[in-house]
Short mmCIF file of all heavy atoms in Angstrom, two decimals:
data_model
loop_
_atom_site.label_atom_id
_atom_site.label_comp_id
_atom_site.label_asym_id
_atom_site.label_seq_id
_atom_site.Cartn_x
_atom_site.Cartn_y
_atom_site.Cartn_z
N SER A 264 7.60 11.59 -0.28
CA SER A 264 7.09 10.58 -1.20
C SER A 264 8.18 9.62 -1.68
O SER A 264 7.93 8.76 -2.51
CB SER A 264 6.42 11.24 -2.41
OG SER A 264 7.36 12.05 -3.11
N LEU A 268 12.66 0.65 -1.88
CA LEU A 268 12.03 -0.52 -2.50
C LEU A 268 12.96 -1.72 -2.29
O LEU A 268 13.98 -1.84 -2.95
CB LEU A 268 11.78 -0.28 -3.98
CG LEU A 268 11.11 -1.41 -4.76
CD1 LEU A 268 9.74 -1.74 -4.19
CD2 LEU A 268 11.00 -1.05 -6.23
N ARG A 284 12.83 -4.57 -10.11
CA ARG A 284 12.90 -3.23 -9.54
C ARG A 284 13.40 -2.20 -10.54
O ARG A 284 12.95 -1.05 -10.56
CB ARG A 284 13.80 -3.23 -8.30
CG ARG A 284 13.18 -3.87 -7.07
CD ARG A 284 14.13 -3.89 -5.90
NE ARG A 284 15.26 -4.78 -6.15
CZ ARG A 284 16.27 -4.96 -5.30
NH1 ARG A 284 16.29 -4.29 -4.16
NH2 ARG A 284 17.25 -5.79 -5.60
N SER A 289 5.96 2.90 -12.22
CA SER A 289 5.09 3.35 -11.15
C SER A 289 4.36 2.15 -10.56
O SER A 289 4.23 1.12 -11.22
CB SER A 289 4.07 4.39 -11.65
OG SER A 289 3.17 3.80 -12.57
N GLU A 323 0.53 -15.06 -12.53
CA GLU A 323 1.74 -15.19 -11.74
C GLU A 323 1.54 -14.53 -10.37
O GLU A 323 0.52 -13.90 -10.12
CB GLU A 323 2.92 -14.52 -12.46
CG GLU A 323 3.30 -15.15 -13.79
CD GLU A 323 2.30 -14.84 -14.89
OE1 GLU A 323 1.68 -13.76 -14.83
OE2 GLU A 323 2.13 -15.69 -15.78
N THR A 345 5.86 -0.90 7.35
CA THR A 345 6.44 -1.50 6.16
C THR A 345 5.39 -2.29 5.40
O THR A 345 4.72 -3.14 5.99
CB THR A 345 7.60 -2.43 6.53
OG1 THR A 345 8.61 -1.69 7.22
CG2 THR A 345 8.21 -3.07 5.30
N ALA A 363 11.95 0.50 -31.23
CA ALA A 363 12.25 -0.83 -31.74
C ALA A 363 12.71 -1.80 -30.67
O ALA A 363 12.59 -3.02 -30.83
CB ALA A 363 13.31 -0.73 -32.84
N SER A 380 -12.21 -16.12 -3.31
CA SER A 380 -13.55 -15.73 -2.86
C SER A 380 -14.54 -15.63 -4.01
O SER A 380 -15.75 -15.75 -3.81
CB SER A 380 -13.49 -14.39 -2.12
OG SER A 380 -13.25 -13.32 -3.01
N SER A 392 -23.49 -15.57 15.56
CA SER A 392 -23.51 -14.13 15.29
C SER A 392 -23.07 -13.90 13.85
O SER A 392 -22.31 -14.69 13.27
CB SER A 392 -22.59 -13.38 16.25
OG SER A 392 -21.23 -13.61 15.93
N MET A 393 -23.52 -12.80 13.28
CA MET A 393 -23.26 -12.54 11.87
C MET A 393 -21.76 -12.42 11.57
O MET A 393 -21.25 -13.00 10.60
CB MET A 393 -23.97 -11.26 11.43
CG MET A 393 -25.49 -11.38 11.40
SD MET A 393 -26.05 -12.63 10.22
CE MET A 393 -27.82 -12.47 10.36
N TYR A 431 -28.40 -16.25 15.42
CA TYR A 431 -29.05 -16.12 14.12
C TYR A 431 -28.92 -17.42 13.33
O TYR A 431 -27.91 -18.13 13.43
CB TYR A 431 -28.42 -14.98 13.31
CG TYR A 431 -28.72 -13.61 13.88
CD1 TYR A 431 -27.76 -12.93 14.63
CD2 TYR A 431 -29.94 -12.99 13.67
CE1 TYR A 431 -28.02 -11.67 15.15
CE2 TYR A 431 -30.22 -11.74 14.18
CZ TYR A 431 -29.25 -11.08 14.93
OH TYR A 431 -29.52 -9.84 15.45
N ILE A 435 -27.50 -20.16 3.32
CA ILE A 435 -26.79 -19.55 2.20
C ILE A 435 -27.08 -20.36 0.93
O ILE A 435 -26.69 -21.53 0.84
CB ILE A 435 -25.28 -19.49 2.46
CG1 ILE A 435 -24.99 -18.82 3.82
CG2 ILE A 435 -24.58 -18.74 1.33
CD1 ILE A 435 -25.54 -17.43 3.95
N GLN A 461 -23.07 4.11 12.77
CA GLN A 461 -21.83 3.80 13.47
C GLN A 461 -21.70 2.31 13.77
O GLN A 461 -20.61 1.82 14.05
CB GLN A 461 -21.74 4.59 14.79
CG GLN A 461 -22.68 4.13 15.90
CD GLN A 461 -24.09 4.67 15.74
OE1 GLN A 461 -24.37 5.40 14.78
NE2 GLN A 461 -24.98 4.35 16.65
N TRP A 466 -15.61 -5.43 6.23
CA TRP A 466 -14.59 -6.47 6.15
C TRP A 466 -13.62 -6.07 5.05
O TRP A 466 -13.98 -5.96 3.88
CB TRP A 466 -15.24 -7.82 5.82
CG TRP A 466 -14.26 -8.92 5.58
CD1 TRP A 466 -13.28 -9.35 6.43
CD2 TRP A 466 -14.15 -9.74 4.41
NE1 TRP A 466 -12.59 -10.38 5.85
CE2 TRP A 466 -13.09 -10.64 4.62
CE3 TRP A 466 -14.86 -9.80 3.21
CZ2 TRP A 466 -12.72 -11.59 3.68
CZ3 TRP A 466 -14.49 -10.74 2.27
CH2 TRP A 466 -13.44 -11.62 2.50
N GLN A 477 -14.70 -5.16 11.29
CA GLN A 477 -14.77 -4.11 12.30
C GLN A 477 -15.93 -3.16 12.04
O GLN A 477 -16.32 -2.93 10.89
CB GLN A 477 -13.44 -3.34 12.26
CG GLN A 477 -13.19 -2.43 13.44
CD GLN A 477 -11.77 -1.90 13.41
OE1 GLN A 477 -11.06 -2.00 12.41
NE2 GLN A 477 -11.33 -1.33 14.51
N SER A 478 -16.47 -2.60 13.12
CA SER A 478 -17.56 -1.63 12.98
C SER A 478 -16.98 -0.23 12.80
O SER A 478 -15.84 0.06 13.19
CB SER A 478 -18.45 -1.64 14.23
OG SER A 478 -17.75 -1.14 15.36
N LEU A 479 -17.79 0.64 12.20
CA LEU A 479 -17.37 2.02 12.00
C LEU A 479 -17.11 2.72 13.33
O LEU A 479 -16.20 3.53 13.46
CB LEU A 479 -18.45 2.76 11.21
CG LEU A 479 -18.10 4.14 10.66
CD1 LEU A 479 -16.93 4.06 9.70
CD2 LEU A 479 -19.31 4.76 9.97
N MET A 483 -13.32 4.62 14.67
CA MET A 483 -13.13 6.00 15.08
C MET A 483 -12.27 6.14 16.33
O MET A 483 -11.83 7.24 16.67
CB MET A 483 -14.48 6.68 15.31
CG MET A 483 -15.40 6.69 14.09
SD MET A 483 -14.69 7.58 12.69
CE MET A 483 -14.77 9.25 13.32
N ILE A 485 -9.43 4.31 16.79
CA ILE A 485 -8.09 3.80 16.52
C ILE A 485 -7.06 4.92 16.62
O ILE A 485 -7.24 6.01 16.07
CB ILE A 485 -8.01 3.17 15.11
CG1 ILE A 485 -8.95 1.97 15.02
CG2 ILE A 485 -6.58 2.74 14.78
CD1 ILE A 485 -9.02 1.37 13.63
N GLY A 489 -0.77 2.71 16.37
CA GLY A 489 -0.79 2.10 17.68
C GLY A 489 -0.55 3.06 18.82
O GLY A 489 -0.23 2.65 19.94
N GLU A 497 11.30 19.87 9.35
CA GLU A 497 11.12 21.24 8.87
C GLU A 497 10.95 21.21 7.35
O GLU A 497 11.56 20.39 6.66
CB GLU A 497 12.34 22.09 9.24
CG GLU A 497 12.59 22.22 10.73
CD GLU A 497 11.65 23.22 11.37
OE1 GLU A 497 10.82 23.78 10.64
OE2 GLU A 497 11.76 23.45 12.58
N GLU A 505 16.15 11.09 11.12
CA GLU A 505 15.28 10.02 11.61
C GLU A 505 14.23 9.70 10.55
O GLU A 505 13.94 10.53 9.68
CB GLU A 505 14.58 10.44 12.91
CG GLU A 505 15.54 10.67 14.07
CD GLU A 505 14.79 11.06 15.32
OE1 GLU A 505 13.62 11.50 15.19
OE2 GLU A 505 15.35 10.94 16.41
N THR A 510 9.05 11.20 14.85
CA THR A 510 9.30 12.64 14.95
C THR A 510 8.77 13.22 16.26
O THR A 510 8.43 12.50 17.16
CB THR A 510 8.69 13.33 13.73
OG1 THR A 510 7.36 12.89 13.60
CG2 THR A 510 9.42 12.98 12.47
#
Side-chain angles (χ1 to χ4, degrees):
S264 60
L268 181 60
R284 285 178 293 178
S289 66
E323 297 73 30
T345 300
S380 72
S392 73
M393 292 298 183
Y431 291 102
I435 308 302
Q461 72 279 0
W466 174 57
Q477 194 171 13
S478 68
L479 191 61
M483 301 299 291
I485 298 175
E497 298 282 1
E505 296 181 341
T510 50

